[in-house]
Amino acid sequence: MTNPLVTAKHIADFQRDGAVLIRGALSGWVDQMVAGIERNLASPGPYASENGVAEGRFFDDYCNWQRVPEFEDIIRNSPAAEIAARLMQSRSAQIFHDHVLVKSSGTPTPTPWHQDGPYYFVEGEQTVSMWMPVDPVTDASLRMIAGSHRWNKPVRPVSWADNSDFYDSAQDWIEVPDPDADPDGFTVLEWPMQPGDMVLFDYRTVHGARGNPGGGQRRALSLRWLGDDVRYVERPGRTSPPFPGHNMVAGQRLREDWFPVIWKDENAD
Ligand SMILES: O=C(O)CCC(=O)C(=O)O
């Protein structure tokens, strides 16, 4: 049985491009998302950041789902985990973390082009980030470079606050691309979206977003999922998120008491 929300075309597009849009996938859960984001904004966690914006506000925060009941409900009880597993073609979906990203109206600051993977202590072929705006978005939607999940080296990770190198040690990175300066060199995928829609992308897919110059705030919840083949890897410094005291070693699956498996294919042998 497949989940009717995830079609063979979604899977093929995701494999080819590293990103796909599924319309209306969580349309019954928008009020929960809004309530969770507002609770998170009113009570930021230890990792909340304002990202050095000169005008307006670009707030982000992560790893709050265990203390934000609306997020826990979405993670455990909505179709999100099954959608993630089906799209990754994985027999299970394990939650990595939640992430809230809010740009107030009049925030010109773009989200820098980046891959999530190099900031994380995980690697694998079966990963997916699920980006879900709770406000209608056009220009301030997520933008993804098609096919970048297959690039042969990772893109240099930088600090969002000041663009400095995220890790101290040298590594053979691809420099952060600028698709707007070279429109013939890259295919950028971006879609106008309504609350309930989701964009799903591989942790290796390069993505970013424009600022939000006007017309209301742009609030988004993102859920990060891990599939069967994902393992813990060492990075040359503190990762983002850091998960201090995790005690995992290279090659392990992530510990399930911190990163529970939310959905499993009961028909898989
Ligand atoms: O919402 C944004 O501006 C960026 C989102 C993002 O980078 C992510 O979800 O990984």
Side-chain angles (χ1 to χ4, degrees):
M1 279 281 284
T2 53
N3 181 309
L5 290 167
V6 180
T7 64
K9 178 164 170 27
H10 289 136
I11 295 171
D13 289 355
F14 179 66
Q15 293 296 330
R16 185 192 61 235
D17 296 335
V20 70
L21 169 71
I22 304 186
R23 291 222 180 266
L26 287 200
S27 52
W29 292 83
V30 175
D31 290 349
Q32 284 285 78
M33 287 189 230
V34 171
I37 291 171
E38 290 302 324
R39 189 189 295 275
N40 194 162
L41 281 165
S43 168
Y47 301 125
S49 169
E50 294 289 347
N51 295 303
V53 169
E55 281 169 71
R57 183 180 193 197
F58 178 14
F59 168 94
D60 84 287
D61 197 2
Y62 53 32
C63 304
N64 294 298
W65 69 266
Q66 285 102 333
R67 69 178 185 91
V68 175
E70 294 85 359
F71 293 167
E72 176 155 18
D73 190 25
I74 294 163
I75 287 168
R76 292 197 184 276
N77 301 318
S78 83
E82 182 177 353
I83 291 171
R86 300 284 185 202
L87 198 70
M88 294 187 286
Q89 296 188 284
S90 169
R91 292 170 168 193
S92 66
Q94 191 175 8
I95 186 69
F96 187 30
H97 70 91
D98 56 287
H99 197 163
V100 162
L101 303 115
V102 176
K103 289 189 181 182
S104 67
S105 182
T107 304
T109 310
T111 308
W113 291 102
H114 68 284
Q115 294 164 313
D116 291 339
Y119 297 86
Y120 287 166
F121 55 45
V122 292
E123 275 180 9
E125 291 289 316
Q126 292 167 306
T127 63
V128 75
S129 286
M130 185 178 266
W131 188 85
M132 300 174 286
V134 298
D135 303 296
V137 291
T138 50
D139 288 355
S141 193
L142 203 66
R143 309 175 75 203
M144 288 136 297
I145 301 181
S148 50
H149 63 311
R150 302 276 178 231
W151 288 357
N152 61 358
K153 285 189 289 187
V155 169
R156 176 189 298 282
V158 296
S159 157
W160 285 14
D162 60 11
N163 239 21
S164 60
D165 277 342
F166 187 75
Y167 296 116
D168 290 337
S169 64
Q171 197 175 318
D172 193 13
W173 307 111
I174 295 178
E175 289 308 321
V176 177
D178 183 357
D180 294 321
D182 181 11
D184 294 334
F186 302 90
T187 302
V188 174
L189 301 172
E190 56 186 309
W191 297 279
M193 292 173 70
Q194 293 297 318
D197 297 347
M198 60 171 68
V199 154
L200 300 112
F201 57 97
D202 189 291
Y203 290 178
R204 298 163 295 183
T205 302
V206 180
H207 59 284
R210 297 190 184 84
N212 182 31
Q217 60 182 337
R218 193 221 63 176
R219 298 167 294 176
L221 170 65
S222 182
L223 300 177
R224 317 296 163 102
W225 299 96
L226 310 163
D228 301 333
D229 81 341
V230 175
R231 296 292 180 272
Y232 175 81
V233 293
E234 295 287 349
R235 296 292 188 205
R238 188 177 189 262
T239 57
S240 171
F243 295 106
H246 59 70
N247 286 330
M248 291 181 290
V249 297
Q252 281 183 332
R253 273 182 62 89
L254 293 209
R255 49 186 295 179
E256 292 186 18
D257 54 342
W258 288 25
F259 307 98
V261 172
I262 304 294
W263 186 85
K264 251 193 186 141
D265 185 351
E266 298 302 341
N267 297 317
D269 27 271

